Amino acid sequence: MATPKPMEWVTSLIIRFEEQLPCRTGPQTQLSRSNVEQNKECIIQISKYRFGLVISGLTKILQRVNELRPHGHDYEKNFYYESLVIVLDTLEKCLSSQPRDAIGFDEVVNVKLLLREICQFMDISHDSLMANQIKTFASKVLFALSINNFNAVFSRISARLQELSTSSAEENLDYSDIELMQYINVDVERLIKLLNETNQKFRSLRKNAQIVLMTSLERAIWNWMDTYPSEFAELQKCRNEELAKCCEFLFECLDYFNESSKKRAQVWSLQIILLVLCPKVLEEIVNADAGAPCSLRHHKKKMFIDHLKKSLVPHASSKYMTEAAAVTCVKLCKLATYINTSDSNNVVFQLVQMIKLMVSLLQVVLFNPAKPFSRGQVFICQDVDLMIDCFVSLFRINPHNNEALKVCLSCNSPSHYHFVLISSLYRIITQPRLPWWPQIDLVYSKSSELRAMFTDTLNKVTQSRIIQTFKEKVTKFKERWTDEAPSSRNLLLWMVRLIHADPMLMLNVSWPTIHADPMLMLSIFSSLTAEQHATVLLVGKAGHEIQSSTLELINGLVSLVHTHSMPDVAAEAMEALLVLHQPEKIEMWNPEAPINTFWDVSSQVLFSISQKLTQHTIVNYTEILKWLRDILVCRNAFLLRHKDYANCNIGAHIAICKQAHIKLEVVFLMYLWSIDMEAVLVAMSCFALLCEEADIRCVWDEVTATVTYLLPNYHVYQELAAASTILTTGILLLRSHHQLGVRVRHPSCHAAVWLLQTPQFPCCCVAAADTSVAMLLCGCCRHLSCYAAVWLLQTPQLLCCCVAAADTSVTISMQTFYSPA
């Protein structure tokens, strides 16, 4: 009888996981990626029961992969980085799956070894996009690790502070362990612990160490507020004496630190945060502005607020102090957004009222196209982040009076203002919301301006002006700037991400209120005849303009799908188009004529992508086929959603619709003989969706009462779809469906295909015909270093496409398979 061996099974799984990493296998196929994902999911599940064994094994894998760091070709570095991403992502998910405080004593050793390895990636250089990605994944691992192992990370931070406080060296000091505090999970108790440690060591540290410590502590506080906003809200209602004591003490330490104006500016942003964490002190300062007495103990804190107000006024102080005041006031506005402004008795609510008086000054400093805010080239990325924080905060404080929105939407504003706008809107959508934050739908009325910005940016990138500049000036600094700064390409990427997050921002929603309910409109239109409906559309100028703007937007996204030079933009464009094809979003393409617009716009999408696939100009064709399958699923869902409201065939008989359907069938037939088995199976499964569409559409009138009228090869395609669950090659599929060549047909045409093949041509090639053109089409393909040729002779009467499949040492002749009616 077999004996269970869980230890051996887990070890075997971890070994197999390592063997399938890209650094071991080289270039990955779809199958190898799928295997890695399956192994990763198994490891994550097993970690819930054998956590120590799994973490130990993954840590050793991480060590070995890191030792393989290449110094040669870029493709070797890509395998190395990709392997690190896989291992780090697996570690993060294993750590996150553990219940809080569930780590045993025996597992602490494994965690400390893992922490040592992770810390190496936190100090990685930012010389490439992949390096930044590695640091991002490592920070996620550190955050998940610190949930149950905070003391292990805190001990490392404390030891480094102790070493730096007693060190006499001034150069080549390592501050990386101090920076760990900005990536860890911190609740209010842990925050107090960090503050106490800071207070004990701050004055004995040298200046550079103090600056690093202040920056890291500030980010740790923001991390706490984002992770535990309820604790911050509770703090405003019930004073935490221990936290207030720590904050007041550190405020005093920082006050002694800011002797000069430059030092003062460096500590202001942290000081304002510490002040807000002391509600009682803040209440006394706010009341002092109204004439109430202020104790001597808090006199310096009141002077700090007064100096901050004065420095924000242009020309009232030096440029350096005005910039520092702007940074600090943005932090203050951001803090105010974490307070529920409906609580009028809260002292911070009064602070929000005071902030509103600062908003106009803050917008003059940060959002003035005539004099753009800049602290120099070195701080350009920090300045953009500051403007994004300001925009988001002002929107949440007073969404109906946001002058910054008008400035950023203007086509005459500098390009980085556009980047600030798009990034801010994306953050408003994606950041986990607090109940009192306003919704993004307040910006829907600006859709026309946002579409114009998208079109303009797309044109710039298409003309390759920005990209060509980057290619001509390749330096490490330029590469970093390309990845981080608001270039046109980066702006385009974020605009596509914004469409993916909420397409309604780009759709034209400025129709009359009576059109706000698409279901109601469809029920009204369903009572009209096709001719009456067409007449309504012709006179509906507004509807035509809406449809044109939607088509322009979607065609712009389609043009990005097959852009090889920007794979990240192409991937986001695919996701955005998929979201736009959701049934409720299709209704918004043109609420005055949703079904007609659907057939026109969606057919153009299918035709354009199918054209590229038949021309073999898309490298990742398997992913595109999967995406096409998802698009077809959404299309069918839309048709089902509206079958009770109107004739879903209205507008389906236009030329582009028929052409797109023909091209789509060509694509799926063509990729039945792909060398990628996954592509074959996806193509086979897509035939089921074509049949489903025909089933939905055939119920409306006598002309389309049969599925074979809409889809002549309906029954053959059903057989192909049924076979998609069987792992077989295209040639074996042809043998098992030998009648396919005879039965595949298109209406009103007939054709003959001769496949001339010899043993030297063990391959297949597909030739597709365009309509109303007599041509001799010779197509060649290269599969596994071999050639094949297919000649398709066509006349204007042969309005169809044909697929020829190969079998070695055989000449197949497919005779005329359809006679015209």
Side-chain angles (χ1 to χ4, degrees), residues 269-334:
S269 60
L270 179 56
Q271 281 186 305
I272 195 64
I273 296 174
L274 295 173
L275 198 56
V276 172
L277 296 182
C278 305
K280 293 295 183 181
V281 176
L282 187 61
E283 183 178 8
E284 183 175 330
I285 294 173
V286 171
N287 291 337
D289 284 341
C294 182
S295 64
L296 183 62
R297 175 185 173 188
H298 302 315
H299 181 66
K300 288 186 177 181
K301 300 180 180 68
K302 185 178 183 303
M303 290 180 59
F304 162 72
I305 294 294
D306 293 339
H307 199 177
L308 180 62
K309 295 178 185 178
K310 180 180 178 182
S311 299
L312 189 61
V313 180
H315 311 298
S317 59
S318 66
K319 179 178 180 294
Y320 190 86
M321 294 306 299
T322 300
E323 292 171 351
V327 173
T328 308
C329 286
V330 169
K331 305 291 184 183
L332 189 57
C333 290
K334 186 177 179 180

Side-chain angles (χ1 to χ4, degrees), residues 139-419:
S139 64
K140 291 181 179 179
V141 174
L142 185 59
F143 182 87
L145 183 148
S146 64
I147 294 176
N148 288 321
N149 300 276
F150 173 78
N151 289 334
V153 185
F154 178 79
S155 298
R156 193 176 181 101
I157 296 171
S158 179
R160 179 62 63 188
L161 287 173
Q162 179 63 33
E163 180 182 344
L164 291 172
S165 64
T166 58
S167 175
S168 59
E170 296 184 1
E171 297 180 356
N172 300 323
L173 295 177
D174 184 9
Y175 305 118
S176 58
D177 286 346
I178 300 178
E179 296 173 341
L180 294 179
M181 69 173 65
Q182 60 188 291
Y183 303 109
I184 59 179
N185 182 284
V186 178
D187 57 18
V188 67
E189 294 182 1
R190 294 174 176 181
L191 179 61
I192 292 172
K193 197 170 183 179
L194 287 174
L195 287 169
N196 278 326
E197 188 69 19
T198 300
N199 290 338
Q200 292 174 16
K201 308 286 175 47
F202 185 81
R203 292 183 177 177
S204 58
L205 296 174
R206 296 187 177 274
K207 176 185 174 182
N208 290 339
Q210 288 177 329
I211 294 174
V212 173
L213 179 57
M214 287 187 295
T215 302
S216 300
L217 183 60
E218 180 185 337
R219 292 180 180 175
I221 295 174
W222 287 117
N223 189 13
W224 163 63
M225 294 176 64
D226 287 331
T227 309
Y228 301 99
S230 59
E231 290 187 349
F232 178 75
E234 182 65 25
L235 177 66
Q236 303 304 316
K237 299 177 182 179
C238 182
R239 174 183 170 92
N240 187 315
E241 295 293 341
E242 189 175 3
L243 178 62
K245 182 180 178 181
C246 292
C247 291
E248 286 192 60
F249 184 86
L250 183 56
F251 188 97
E252 297 294 335
C253 292
L254 297 176
D255 207 44
Y256 285 109
F257 178 82
N258 60 20
E259 298 172 355
S260 66
S261 60
K262 290 186 178 181
K263 288 184 178 180
R264 188 179 300 125
Q266 291 173 341
V267 302
W268 274 7
S269 60
L270 179 56
Q271 281 186 305
I272 195 64
I273 296 174
L274 295 173
L275 198 56
V276 172
L277 296 182
C278 305
K280 293 295 183 181
V281 176
L282 187 61
E283 183 178 8
E284 183 175 330
I285 294 173
V286 171
N287 291 337
D289 284 341
C294 182
S295 64
L296 183 62
R297 175 185 173 188
H298 302 315
H299 181 66
K300 288 186 177 181
K301 300 180 180 68
K302 185 178 183 303
M303 290 180 59
F304 162 72
I305 294 294
D306 293 339
H307 199 177
L308 180 62
K309 295 178 185 178
K310 180 180 178 182
S311 299
L312 189 61
V313 180
H315 311 298
S317 59
S318 66
K319 179 178 180 294
Y320 190 86
M321 294 306 299
T322 300
E323 292 171 351
V327 173
T328 308
C329 286
V330 169
K331 305 291 184 183
L332 189 57
C333 290
K334 186 177 179 180
L335 285 164
T337 64
Y338 288 85
I339 306 298
N340 192 340
T341 53
S342 63
D343 184 9
S344 58
N345 295 323
N346 192 292
V347 64
V348 183
F349 179 79
Q350 301 176 39
L351 183 63
V352 172
Q353 302 303 316
M354 184 176 67
I355 289 172
K356 289 182 179 179
L357 301 177
M358 301 180 185
V359 166
S360 59
L361 292 175
L362 195 57
Q363 290 184 137
V364 169
V365 174
L366 293 181
F367 296 97
N368 184 1
K371 188 179 180 182
F373 178 81
S374 176
R375 290 177 289 174
Q377 189 72 17
V378 178
F379 296 96
I380 189 166
C381 293
Q382 290 88 332
D383 290 343
V384 169
D385 290 338
L386 179 69
M387 295 175 70
I388 294 172
D389 281 340
C390 183
F391 186 101
V392 173
S393 300
L394 296 181
F395 176 80
R396 288 171 176 167
I397 292 172
N398 191 4
H400 297 288
N401 185 24
N402 194 347
E403 293 296 326
L405 176 62
K406 298 178 182 178
V407 173
C408 292
L409 275 173
S410 174
C411 59
N412 298 322
S413 296
S415 60
H416 69 275
Y417 280 45
H418 299 159
F419 182 85

Side-chain angles (χ1 to χ4, degrees), residues 574-796:
M574 291 168 61
E575 294 298 327
L577 285 166
L578 194 57
V579 173
L580 279 165
H581 272 80
Q582 292 176 354
E584 63 275 11
K585 297 300 187 297
I586 295 177
E587 292 166 1
M588 297 296 103
W589 288 2
N590 181 8
E592 292 194 5
I595 296 177
N596 294 67
T597 305
F598 160 73
W599 287 116
D600 182 19
V601 175
S602 184
S603 296
Q604 294 198 42
V605 173
L606 296 180
F607 182 86
S608 178
I609 298 299
S610 299
Q611 182 81 353
K612 295 295 181 181
L613 285 170
T614 57
Q615 295 171 352
H616 299 282
T617 58
I618 297 180
V619 178
N620 57 330
Y621 56 85
T622 303
E623 296 302 317
I624 299 295
L625 285 173
K626 290 181 181 178
W627 174 77
L628 270 178
R629 181 174 59 186
D630 293 337
I631 291 290
L632 292 178
V633 170
C634 292
R635 282 166 52 96
N636 289 349
F638 172 80
L639 293 174
L640 282 172
R641 183 183 175 100
H642 296 90
K643 67 178 183 179
D644 296 330
Y645 292 94
N647 188 339
C648 66
N649 283 319
I650 294 177
H653 302 295
I654 58 177
I656 185 62
C657 184
K658 296 179 180 179
Q659 293 168 7
H661 210 281
I662 291 174
K663 285 288 184 183
L664 205 57
E665 290 186 57
V666 171
V667 167
F668 298 148
L669 288 168
M670 183 173 71
Y671 282 92
L672 290 179
W673 290 274
S674 170
I675 60 174
D676 187 344
M677 178 55 60
E678 188 174 13
V680 174
L681 296 176
V682 172
M684 293 169 67
S685 65
C686 287
F687 287 113
L689 297 172
L690 295 180
C691 295
E692 181 183 349
E693 179 184 318
D695 289 332
I696 298 170
R697 293 177 54 194
C698 73
V699 300
W700 288 106
D701 50 63
E702 296 179 357
V703 178
T704 60
T706 60
V707 291
T708 53
Y709 175 84
L710 296 172
L711 194 65
N713 306 305
Y714 177 88
H715 300 293
V716 179
Y717 291 167
Q718 277 192 324
E719 294 179 29
L720 283 169
S724 63
T725 57
I726 304 173
L727 289 175
T728 178
T729 64
I731 293 175
L732 290 178
L733 180 66
L734 181 63
R735 289 172 177 170
S736 63
H737 295 82
H738 62 277
Q739 72 275 29
L740 176 65
V742 178
R743 294 167 59 188
V744 173
R745 62 191 65 186
H746 290 280
S748 302
C749 67
H750 57 99
V753 175
W754 295 267
L755 175 63
L756 306 178
Q757 180 180 329
T758 68
Q760 286 77 26
F761 298 151
C763 189
C764 63
C765 187
V766 178
D770 287 329
T771 62
S772 66
V773 178
M775 62 169 62
L776 181 65
L777 180 63
C778 178
C780 294
C781 67
R782 294 179 174 89
H783 291 168
L784 305 177
S785 302
C786 65
Y787 296 89
V790 175
W791 289 266
L792 175 62
L793 183 61
Q794 180 183 321
T795 69

Side-chain angles (χ1 to χ4, degrees), residues 17-28:
F17 175 74
E18 181 179 6
E19 290 174 346
Q20 293 179 347
L21 292 175
C23 63
R24 303 293 186 187
T25 62
Q28 284 194 306

